[in-house]
Amino acid sequence: MGSHFSGLEETLAVLPGFLYSKMLRFLKQPLVVTADINLNLVALTGLGLLTRLWQLSYPRAVVFDEVYYGQYISFYMKRIFFLDDSGPPFGHMLLALGGYLGGFDGNFLWNRIGAEYSSNVPVWSLRLLPALAGALSVPMAYQIVLELRFSHCAAMGAALLMLIENALLTQSRLMLLESLLIFFNLLAVLSYLKFFNSQAHSPFSLHWWLWLMLTGVSCSCAVGIKYMGIFTYLLVLSIAAVHAWKLIGDQTLSNILVFSHLLARAVALLILPVFLYLLFFYIHLTLLYRSGPHDQIMSSAFQASLEGGLARITQGQPLEVAFGSQVTLRSVFGKPLPCWLHSHKNTYPMIYENGRGSSHQQQVTCYPFKDINNWWIVKDPGRHQLVVNNPPRPVRHGDIVQLVHGMTTRLLNTHDVAAPLSPHSQEVSCYIDYNISMPAQNLWKLDIVNRESSRDTWKTILSEVRFVHVNTSAVLKLSGAHLPDWGFRQLEVVGEKSRGHHESMVWNVEEHRYGKSQEQKERELELHSPTQVDISRNLSFMARFSELQWKMLTLKNEDVEHKYSSTPLDWVTLDTNIAYWLHPRTSAQIHLLGNIVIWASASLATVAYTFLFFWYLLRRRRTICDLPEDAWSHWVLAGALCTGGWALNYLPFFLMERMLFLYHYLPALTFQILLLPIVLQHVSDHLCKSQLQRNVFNALVVAWYSSACHVSNMLRPLTYGDTSLSPGELRALRWKDSWDILIRKY
C-alpha cells in the first residue's frame, strides 16, 4: 500500500512540470486554423441573395396576398387574436418577426391590393425572411444533389435552375409563405440525407445527432408554416421507415444497438416535431391575448379567455347555473353563424307559403347578434318564483327545467307540429294559451354532454348541454336554415327526434347572472343592466389549442370564384398565371409566371425517370443488372425523394375541395427541378454508349440551359415589375392564350 501512495505522490509532483512544458511548446508554435470552403456554395449563395434582395422594397405597394398576411402581421403587433384556416401560425409569426425587427407598429389599413404603403411600414424588413429563404434554397438544392451522390455538375445544374426559375423568384421576393415552406422542405430533405450518409461511418456522433434532430425540426417548421408541409414530412418519414426496416434486419448489429437506433429516430422524427408544433401554438396564443374580430368563431369559453370583448362581460360571472338564473344560450355548432337562442313577440304565420299550417305560437329562433331578447330564466317546474334562492340551488345533469323567455315571460315549448322549414322536425315556440286544444309542453330534461359524473352541475360557459323534451323526447336543435321575412331572416330552431348526436344540438351558457327581481318591470330593467362579477375562469393551453386546431381544420370559408384560381391540371402545363400587381400609372407589372422551358423539362424528366425506373426494375427481375449496385441504390433513393416529393406535394390537390392557385404547385416543382439534372447526368453516364454520343448530348444540354436562361431574362420585367413595356412588347410575352397579361387602354 505504501508503494502505491509513493507512486501517486511522484506522479503529482511531476505533473505541473509536464503541463508547463506542453504549454510552452504550444505557445512557441503558431496557431493554425484550416477551413474547407466550397466556392461553389459561396457563389450560389451570393447569387441567390443578389437576385432575391435586389430592390426588395419595390414595389412599395400591397402585392396580391400581402393584403391578407399584412392583416395578420398587424394583429401580431397589436396582440389581437385571429384565426386563419390556411395553416398553423409559425409562418405568420416569421413574417411578424420581420415586421417587429423593422419597428412596424401594425398601423396600416390592409384593405386592397395595390394600396401604397405608408412611411411607417418597413417593406424591406417585412419581405426579408421570405427572400432569405428563397436565396438559401439555391445552395441547398446544390447540397441535396451532392448528398444523393451525383456529380458537382448535376448539383450546380439543380441550383442554377432554382436560381433562374421565375415563379420561385417572384414568390420569394414578396411577403408570402411559399418560399419559407420550400426552404424548410429542402432543409428537411438535406438534413435527413446528411444524417443517412453519416450513418455508415459515425453513428451516434455529434453531427449524426445534429442532422437527425435538424430533420425533425425542419419537418415541424414546414408543417407549422402550411398544412402542405405534411406531405414532405410524410415523405421523410416513409424513407426513414424503409431505412429503419433494413436496420432491423442487419444481423451485424446487436438488439440493444438496433433499439437505440429506433428510439433515436422516434424521438427526433415523431416526438420532437409534435413538441415543436405545440410550441408554435403556445407562442401564438401567448402573443395574441386580446379580443379581436375573429372571436365569434370560437366558443364562449375561448372568447372569455381573451382580454376585452366577451371577457369584459363574462369574467367573474357565477359559475354554477341555479334555478332562477338568467342566462343567454349560445349554439356550440355556430354554423352558418354563431348565434344565441332567441324569441320575440312575433308569432309564426297561420299559413306558410307552401300551404301548411302552424301553431301560431310565439317564434323561437337563433339570432346572430347580442340582444335583450336572448335572455332566458331557468325555472324550477315545482315553484312559481323566478328568482334564485339563498343559498342558490344549482341545476344538475338530469334535472327537469323550464326555460322562461325573459322579456315576454312565456315558456319554451315544442309539440307535434312540423317546423317551418324542416317538416320532419318539430316546431319550437314560446307557448301562448289560445284556450284551444293545444296544451303546453314546456318541460325539458337537462343533458350535460361533457359531464364527468351523473351528478355534475350545470356550469357557465364550461358545460355543453342538450335540452331533451320530456313529452316527445325531441332535442332542441339549430337547423341552420334562414327563416323568410316573417322570421326576420333569423335561423330556425327545431325539435329533432333523431337519436343521433350532433353539435347543432349542443348549447352553452354564455352570459349569466342570478335573478333577483320577481316583478316583470323590475326584471326587464335587471336584464338591461350589466352582469354581476363574482369569479373568474381560464381555459388550459391544451383546451385552447385543441379548439383552435379543430376550427382551423374544419372552418370552411364561402369560396367565391376568383379570376386567377386554377386546377391542378393547369399547373403542369403552365396554362395559368396570376397578375400580382400593376403600376398605377405605367404598364409595369408583376406576374406569378413560371419559366416554361424549366416547367416542361421538369415534367419530361419525371416521366423519363418513371419509365427508366420500371424498365430497370423489370430487367433486374430477369437478373439483368444494367446499373452497378451503388449506382442503382443512388438512382432509387433520388427517385424516391424527388419523384415521391413531387407526387406527394401535387396529387393530393386533386382531392381538395377548395380554391386553388398556381403557387400551390411550387413545392412540388422544386422536387422536379432537383430530379431534372439527375436524369440528365444518368442519360450522359449510362445511356450514351460512346464519347461522341456523350459530347453531342452535353452540347444539347448546354443549348437547353441557355434557352432556359434566355426565357428567364425575357420574363424578367414581369418578375421584378421594374420595367414599363409597350403594349406590343406585352403581347409578345403572351406565349399562351390563357396567360392574362395586363395591357392598359390609353
Side-chain angles (χ1 to χ4, degrees), residues 683-741:
V683 172
S684 177
D685 292 349
H686 298 282
L687 300 183
C688 294
K689 301 302 182 182
S690 66
Q691 187 61 43
L692 177 61
Q693 291 177 339
R694 194 170 290 113
N695 291 339
V696 171
F697 180 77
N698 291 340
L700 292 174
V701 169
V702 171
W704 161 79
Y705 185 76
S706 299
S707 66
C709 292
H710 178 65
V711 170
S712 179
N713 186 59
M714 289 186 69
L715 294 178
R716 183 196 171 284
L718 302 181
T719 300
Y720 286 92
D722 58 350
T723 304
S724 180
L725 301 178
S726 67
E729 291 172 322
L730 289 171
R731 290 190 190 94
L733 289 177
R734 192 181 179 189
W735 297 339
K736 290 194 172 187
D737 292 337
S738 56
W739 288 4
D740 185 20
I741 307 296

Side-chain angles (χ1 to χ4, degrees), residues 183-256:
F183 170 80
F184 284 109
N185 282 348
L186 295 179
L187 184 59
V189 170
L190 175 62
S191 300
Y192 182 78
L193 288 174
K194 284 187 172 290
F195 155 76
F196 176 70
N197 289 333
S198 65
Q199 171 71 30
H201 53 82
S202 57
F204 298 101
S205 63
L206 181 61
H207 67 275
W208 184 91
W209 277 109
L210 171 68
W211 292 118
L212 178 59
M213 290 295 181
L214 189 56
T215 303
V217 170
S218 304
C219 289
S220 184
C221 290
V223 178
I225 289 172
K226 279 199 168 188
Y227 288 126
M228 290 170 57
I230 194 86
F231 302 140
T232 301
Y233 184 29
L234 292 175
L235 172 71
V236 173
L237 281 182
S238 301
I239 294 175
V242 172
H243 290 160
W245 183 251
K246 292 181 179 179
L247 199 68
I248 293 173
D250 190 347
Q251 297 297 322
T252 63
L253 301 177
S254 66
N255 292 338
I256 297 295

Side-chain angles (χ1 to χ4, degrees), residues 509-525:
V509 171
E510 188 170 271
E511 296 181 61
H512 175 215
R513 70 185 72 184
Y514 285 158
K516 298 177 181 179
S517 303
Q518 185 63 42
E519 296 297 324
Q520 174 70 14
K521 289 185 178 180
E522 294 177 358
R523 187 164 56 246
E524 289 181 9
L525 291 173

Side-chain angles (χ1 to χ4, degrees), residues 77 181 187 191 200 219 226 371 403-404 415 420 424 430 525 536 548 551 679 684 699 710-711 741 746:
M77 298 300 106
L181 173 62
L187 184 59
S191 300
C219 289
K226 279 199 168 188
D371 190 88
L403 292 176
V404 182
H415 40 216
H424 298 293
C430 279
L525 291 173
S536 60
L548 180 57
K551 291 288 185 183
V679 171
S684 177
H710 178 65
V711 170
I741 307 296
Y746 295 99

Side-chain angles (χ1 to χ4, degrees), residues 72 410 454 473 504 580:
Y72 302 142
R410 290 181 174 138
S454 59
S473 298
S504 57
Y580 269 5

